Amino acid sequence: MRSNNSVLLDCTLRDGGYYTNWNFSSNFFEKYLYTLKSLPITFTEIGYISDVKDQKGPFYHLDNNLIKIAKSKLRKDQKILAM
């Protein structure tokens, strides 16, 4: 049972990126955010902020657009984190 003082962190996209090279389809991202919105998750870590030029996907090199999309789909009390 979750108490009112509990804080839950979801790292599905950041950790999952190690298996997908930080490439997730827009369909997966939409379904993930829709599901997350219905869960008692306080924080979601969606990836990394990096300007290194390499072959890693957009969730390793987060841009403002992906962050804005995530913020618009989540509840107001859910926060987005990035490494």
Side-chain angles (χ1 to χ4, degrees):
M1 179 181 284
R2 184 178 163 208
S3 74
N4 289 340
N5 296 329
S6 296
V7 175
L8 299 175
L9 167 67
D10 179 83
C11 298
T12 300
L13 295 179
R14 182 185 50 82
D15 286 351
Y18 288 101
Y19 299 96
T20 66
N21 206 29
W22 291 275
N23 286 299
F24 297 98
S25 71
S26 58
N27 185 46
F28 174 83
F29 188 46
E30 290 285 329
K31 287 181 180 181
Y32 166 77
L33 294 172
Y34 177 79
T35 301
L36 199 66
K37 185 175 184 173
S38 68
L39 298 173
I41 302 295
T42 308
F43 298 100
T44 181
E45 194 170 340
I46 63 172
Y48 293 90
I49 297 176
S50 172
D51 58 1
V52 173
K53 304 296 182 209
D54 58 26
Q55 299 301 312
K56 293 178 179 143
F59 291 89
Y60 193 88
H61 304 286
L62 287 171
D63 64 16
N64 286 336
N65 188 50
L66 276 176
I67 295 169
K68 285 178 185 178
I69 289 169
K71 285 179 76 172
S72 74
K73 303 288 183 183
L74 297 176
R75 295 187 321 265
K76 297 296 180 201
D77 64 327
Q78 291 176 308
K79 304 299 181 204
I80 296 169
L81 304 173
M83 297 277 287

